Amino acid sequence: MRVHKLTIAAMALAAGLSLTACQNDDAGTDQGAAPPAASTASSSTGGSGSTGSDQQGGTDSEGKTPAGTGGSDGTGGTGATGGTAENGKTAKCRTDELEITAIDATVGGDDRGTVAVDLKNGGGRDCSLAGHAGVDLKTNSGTLSAERTGEPAPLVVLKDGERTTFGITYPINDSGGSGVRITGLVVTPPDETKSVTLDWPGGATLPVTDGSGTPVQVGPLGSAGQGG
């Protein structure tokens, strides 16, 4: 009877050891097949999602550039292409950026002739003009510089493609004599030293004067002549 009980106990112990061995093997297989949750989360932040793309090239998950990533230079901010100078004001118009033309704008019955000079911004950026343009008439007797009218000259800001006009007034030669022949018009934009030479579209001559007659005058930007 004692031998029978020992045999049964030995069989039970063997079965228990076998079950424990099987459970350890199963647990090892599960650990090898599924990585820990923390490892999976770590790999997602370094893949091709928005975080990884932003670090590589500054784009979001759809390939668009995020707002606020542009620089403050000409590539995306307020640099040269925006027409803003270092002091925050609109940069001045350069002679090479302006398309300058002149036409006769004399109104019938006036005692003075008028030439309207048009300045168009073709520089591809906003720019500003302030003051009076320089105006010289080329004549067969030398160069004659126009006088300013004395009117206020406001700041003019031109967007690309916009224009402004000023007027030149001059005495009409009705003396019956040959007068002083005008051969050309020289315009220098405000605050510039480079000039543009144009054909003179107004009256062909000026009356000969001893300096006491009506002078050639230039008005401020934004005026069409004849005092405004």
Side-chain angles (χ1 to χ4, degrees):
M1 185 67 176
R2 181 178 178 82
V3 173
H4 181 68
K5 289 181 178 180
L6 291 174
T7 301
I8 293 174
M11 291 176 63
L13 177 62
L17 292 174
S18 175
L19 179 60
T20 302
C22 290
Q23 289 175 344
N24 289 338
D25 289 343
D26 291 342
T29 302
D30 291 341
Q31 291 174 355
S39 175
T40 302
S42 175
S43 64
S44 67
T45 60
S48 59
S50 60
T51 303
S53 297
D54 287 345
Q55 292 174 349
Q56 294 293 328
T59 57
D60 60 16
S61 58
E62 297 179 358
K64 299 178 181 179
T65 303
T69 58
S72 60
D73 56 6
T75 60
T78 57
T81 58
T84 303
E86 293 181 357
N87 59 3
K89 297 180 180 180
T90 305
K92 68 178 181 179
C93 300
R94 300 291 185 180
T95 301
D96 291 337
E97 297 175 314
L98 297 171
E99 301 172 19
I100 304 175
T101 56
I103 62 170
D104 182 17
T106 303
V107 178
D110 285 345
D111 59 353
R112 291 184 296 170
T114 302
V115 166
V117 179
D118 186 86
L119 294 83
K120 180 181 178 181
N121 179 13
R125 65 184 181 101
D126 295 357
C127 66
S128 65
L129 294 165
H132 290 74
V135 171
D136 296 300
L137 301 186
K138 289 184 175 182
T139 75
N140 60 340
S141 298
T143 300
L144 174 64
S145 296
E147 300 178 5
R148 296 178 180 179
T149 60
E151 299 172 77
L155 174 70
V156 176
V157 177
L158 298 178
K159 295 184 180 298
D160 185 38
E162 290 185 342
R163 65 187 70 207
T164 187
T165 304
F166 68 87
I168 304 169
T169 57
Y170 61 94
I172 296 175
N173 183 18
D174 55 6
S175 64
S178 58
V180 179
R181 183 166 54 88
I182 303 173
T183 60
L185 169 63
V186 180
V187 177
T188 307
D191 297 322
E192 281 289 276
T193 57
K194 187 175 182 179
S195 302
V196 174
T197 301
L198 307 171
D199 291 334
W200 173 252
T205 63
L206 298 174
V208 177
T209 178
D210 58 4
S212 60
T214 303
V216 177
Q217 292 184 306
V218 53
L221 298 171
S223 69
Q226 297 294 356

